[in-house]
Amino acid sequence: MDAMEVKLQTLPKQVAGVLARRIATDGVSGGQGPSEQQILQEFGVSRAVAREALKILASLDMIEIAQGRRVVLRPAEEWDYLSPLLIDWLPPEQIRQLLAEAHATRIIIEPAIAAIAAKHMTKENLERLGILLAAMSATEDNPDVYLKLDLDFHMEICRSTQNRILDRFMYSSRWWQAASRRVSNLMPHALSFATEDHRAIYEALVARDAKRAEEAMRRHLKATTAVGLPYKD
């Protein structure tokens, strides 16, 4: 998220952000979480704001509000890591590890998605992919625009599988995908290499060659790893 989006966060989100960073840094699962009264005293906010901040943390599965409004910290393994809020709120070292895990997940899932897509691609899917690829080639000097086109390219492939669960997973993880691409896109010539990788994927899909599409996607993702992400097999 950019600076403008952070500035526009509501007061409950700002309070939740401070608490989330604190929990991520110091919290122990099963321990006592921040109470409404503690939030009121520390931040000088209304009870409504304090309650909304706690609801946000609960929606991220970081805390559990038990009977009697006792707040308990939940295990870090159970937090909602697909939420874009955590990208802003977790400590940098945890973000780096999660970026590596997100990319490892893509290497497991997206080659299989490409193979399925090769069998289900419609003429309309291929036309949209061709338009996106041409736009990517024309915007290699503009990383921000390129990033959106890149995400749209991968989403179009996923949507062609006609699998709604895969679609929602890919869509929900787009915040992590975008964050990882911002790292790799800064490397010299990264976007021109990425365009060629996407072209290879596109050509395999046009040929409806599932094995070739799968291999092209895997090569692309592992090449992205090589230029900027701390992924390990």
Side-chain angles (χ1 to χ4, degrees):
M1 293 185 184
D2 61 26
M4 181 60 70
E5 288 177 296
V6 173
K7 288 178 184 176
L8 292 175
Q9 284 188 345
T10 63
L11 185 55
K13 280 188 178 179
Q14 291 178 45
V15 173
V18 172
L19 296 173
R21 280 187 287 273
R22 189 176 298 165
I23 292 169
T25 303
D26 305 320
V28 178
S29 119
Q32 185 74 33
S35 68
E36 280 185 21
Q37 192 59 39
Q38 289 170 336
I39 295 172
L40 294 177
Q41 291 173 352
E42 178 176 353
F43 296 96
V45 295
S46 69
R47 191 169 296 277
V49 168
R51 288 181 178 175
E52 186 60 31
L54 289 174
K55 285 181 183 178
I56 292 170
L57 295 179
S59 73
L60 296 171
D61 295 324
M62 297 186 80
I63 64 169
E64 182 175 346
I65 304 174
Q67 191 172 14
R69 306 204 69 79
R70 190 171 75 90
V71 178
V72 178
L73 302 181
R74 296 192 60 182
E77 304 82 46
E78 298 177 3
W79 296 352
D80 181 9
Y81 291 107
L82 290 180
S83 170
L85 292 175
L86 287 183
I87 295 178
D88 286 325
W89 294 350
L90 292 180
E93 63 275 10
Q94 293 187 32
I95 292 295
R96 284 192 292 272
Q97 179 58 38
L98 286 165
L99 284 173
E101 292 174 18
H103 197 70
T105 302
R106 292 187 66 202
I107 290 176
I108 294 168
I109 292 175
E110 286 201 62
I113 290 176
I116 297 169
K119 300 175 182 178
H120 294 278
M121 275 278 162
T122 64
K123 179 182 178 183
E124 291 73 23
N125 290 139
L126 289 171
E127 285 177 352
R128 284 192 288 269
L129 282 177
I131 292 169
L132 288 167
L133 182 61
M136 290 165 74
S137 182
T139 57
E140 291 174 0
D141 60 345
N142 191 330
D144 290 334
V145 173
Y146 192 100
L147 173 61
K148 184 180 185 309
L149 295 167
D150 189 347
L151 291 171
D152 289 346
F153 185 94
H154 286 264
M155 278 305 308
E156 186 66 33
I157 293 173
C158 185
R159 287 191 178 123
S160 72
T161 67
Q162 300 174 36
N163 184 315
R164 289 171 290 183
I165 302 300
L166 279 176
D167 182 279
R168 288 301 85 191
F169 172 80
M170 287 289 290
Y171 185 78
S172 297
S173 64
R174 68 196 183 282
W175 307 106
W176 291 106
Q177 294 178 47
S180 69
R181 283 168 170 80
R182 286 192 181 98
V183 174
S184 59
N185 285 354
L186 293 175
M187 304 301 289
H189 311 297
L191 297 186
S192 60
F193 291 148
T195 300
E196 291 310 304
D197 283 350
H198 286 86
R199 192 181 311 282
I201 296 166
Y202 171 71
E203 289 172 353
L205 293 171
V206 170
R208 302 190 183 280
D209 187 329
K211 183 173 177 57
R212 185 174 148 200
E214 181 176 1
E215 290 173 350
M217 182 66 79
R218 185 173 288 108
R219 278 196 306 272
H220 165 55
L221 294 173
K222 290 198 169 183
T224 302
T225 300
V227 298
L229 292 168
Y231 167 70
K232 295 181 181 178
D233 254 328

